[in-house]
Amino acid sequence: YGADPYRAELGLFEAKSILTSAQDLETLGLPEGHRSHERLVAPPCRPIPIQLLQLDGSPCTEWFYADILDISQGGLCLLITESHAIAVGHGVMVDFKAHLSGDLHRVRGLVRWFVRSCGVITMGLGFVEPLHDLPELLSDRRHRLRNLNEEPKT
């Protein structure tokens, strides 16, 4: 039978980082352990929709939710409770629409690192372009999450 390349087996432990060669360091800019932007621990807030992308920028998964653990103008640390085959360097689209984000709506990023354990993924995502301003993360969570892949009802 054919395995879905964008799903991963539950219970698998895996950890990867983009910092594997001198070329990766050139891509990232600053050496490991140095950040260009202050990282802020996110308060309990609404999850954000994310979508994994193909190399050409087209979607390779449907939208799914991730919880924000920390945020900076340069990226996010996310907690994902669905099983997806995350890869270092994978393109990701992040949708900040659920938060007060001004002109900010969808932002592209790259997976810099991840840890998968027992079906839970913690992922570090770097934005392709740093944000000018951080979105105001709304602390009230919805009681029921909407299906991200259906058109909104009018």
Side-chain angles (χ1 to χ4, degrees):
Y1 68 96
D4 182 346
Y6 303 109
R7 305 290 289 177
E9 295 299 318
L10 292 175
L12 176 70
F13 178 81
E14 185 179 14
K16 302 273 183 185
S17 171
I18 200 168
L19 298 171
T20 58
S21 71
Q23 183 180 1
D24 293 333
L25 290 174
E26 287 178 23
T27 302
L28 292 175
L30 296 173
E32 183 178 13
H34 294 86
R35 295 184 177 272
S36 299
H37 307 281
E38 179 183 8
R39 182 173 31 170
L40 304 170
V41 174
C45 62
R46 290 181 181 179
I48 57 169
I50 67 171
Q51 186 176 51
L52 301 179
L53 305 175
Q54 304 274 5
L55 290 176
D56 66 1
S58 63
C60 65
T61 65
E62 293 188 332
W63 289 94
F64 58 94
Y65 284 105
D67 288 303
I68 302 172
L69 299 178
D70 69 42
I71 186 169
S72 77
Q73 289 174 285
L76 296 164
C77 179
L78 300 173
L79 179 72
I80 302 166
T81 56
E82 296 180 27
S83 181
H84 290 279
I86 305 290
V88 170
H90 217 147
V92 179
M93 185 68 71
V94 179
D95 189 335
F96 285 104
K97 187 177 176 181
H99 298 281
L100 299 177
S101 54
D103 294 337
L104 184 66
H105 182 45
R106 291 190 175 169
V107 178
R108 287 186 69 147
L110 293 172
V111 175
R112 300 252 179 131
W113 61 266
F114 70 91
V115 175
R116 177 193 326 277
S117 180
C118 299
V120 175
I121 302 168
T122 306
M123 176 176 77
L125 181 137
F127 298 131
V128 172
E129 294 289 329
L131 305 179
H132 294 289
D133 296 304
L134 291 177
E136 181 182 336
L137 300 178
L138 297 178
S139 60
D140 57 320
R141 295 179 67 96
R142 296 179 182 189
H143 294 289
R144 190 173 146 262
L145 297 176
R146 66 181 175 87
N147 183 335
L148 297 168
N149 299 297
E150 290 179 1
E151 291 296 320
K153 295 177 183 168
T154 56

